[in-house]
Amino acid sequence: MDEQLGHGEGKKIFLLRPHSVIHEEMLNILIMAGYETYTLTDLEKARKLLAKFPGSIMFINIDEGLQESEWENYIRKIQEDNATKDCRLGIMSYNQDKTLMQKYLMDISIPCGYIQLKLGLQESTKIILNALEANEARGRRRSIRADCHDDLSSTMNYKGVSGMYHGNILDISSMGIAARMDKVDDLPANSMLRQVQVRLRGGLFITDMIFVGKRRDSRDEFILLFDPKMSNENRAVINRYVKQCLQKYIDNLKI
């Protein structure tokens, strides 16, 4: 049943020191498209993360933070280090200098391209999505599942036969949730639950959900899927929360 929440081997995507417009809008698009995407600011931590997660993809903003020669040195070290050489890098820049582009694409052989941000957000995002697709970065998953078992403010409740039923959300994706329930009715699989209230930190919405059944090897954990007809506004709340959970995980990771 866990597969229905979007599990599947995929690659971690890192945006190193992204421009402000990238940080918000492009990040939202990538996550909604099913790519497990994080933002980073610490260059040393970025290298350690690439070593910890072999095969990851990282797009680097070379417009700030270091001199151009320093960025070149940083990137060459990543590509030459045995611990990180399996990762795949891309460049993000407003600099349209053809000599610079040729250096990264031809001399350094950056595999995920040189993204010209002057083309605009839509075109830049399209190029990155194409690069991620070519590198099979999404794997088999259709959506990203975020772990939120330690967030006691993430809850759900609905009115059942015997009154109000409550649950703590353990993980969530745009497809559905796993929740630890205080009780449930004896429902057949694929039963529709009406007017389920979902609270995600500061976000609150009401939607219908499909009751799938117990999570594997668990007595009180259940899988529920969101109604495919759920509104875009509600999906945006979920997407924002998933993004927060992902970023919290990577920020708190000690390496």
Side-chain angles (χ1 to χ4, degrees), residues 4-7 31 143-149 151 154-156 168-179 198-201 203 205 209 215 223-224 226 230 234-235 237-243 245-246:
Q4 296 187 58
L5 279 181
H7 254 333
I31 289 177
S143 59
I144 306 165
R145 190 174 76 171
D147 184 341
C148 56
H149 74 277
D151 185 357
S154 299
T155 61
M156 54 83 67
N168 291 320
I169 298 174
L170 304 174
D171 52 59
I172 184 170
S173 77
S174 62
M175 293 184 65
I177 64 173
V198 179
R199 184 181 298 276
L200 302 174
R201 207 164 291 169
F205 62 90
M209 300 194 75
R215 205 173 196 179
I223 303 295
L224 300 97
F226 292 117
M230 185 173 61
N234 290 350
R235 293 190 187 280
V237 174
I238 297 168
N239 181 65
R240 182 169 62 248
Y241 181 69
V242 168
K243 181 173 66 173
C245 290
L246 291 177

Side-chain angles (χ1 to χ4, degrees), residues 11 30 55 85 88 91 110 114 142 147 150 165 179 194 197 200 225-229 239 241 244:
K11 299 176 182 178
L30 295 180
K85 66 181 183 180
R88 302 179 73 79
I91 302 297
I110 290 293
Y114 187 107
R142 288 168 287 168
D147 184 341
D150 60 347
Y165 297 170
R194 301 294 182 184
Q197 178 177 276
L200 302 174
L225 301 181
F226 292 117
D227 184 347
K229 299 177 182 178
N239 181 65
Y241 181 69
Q244 291 171 350

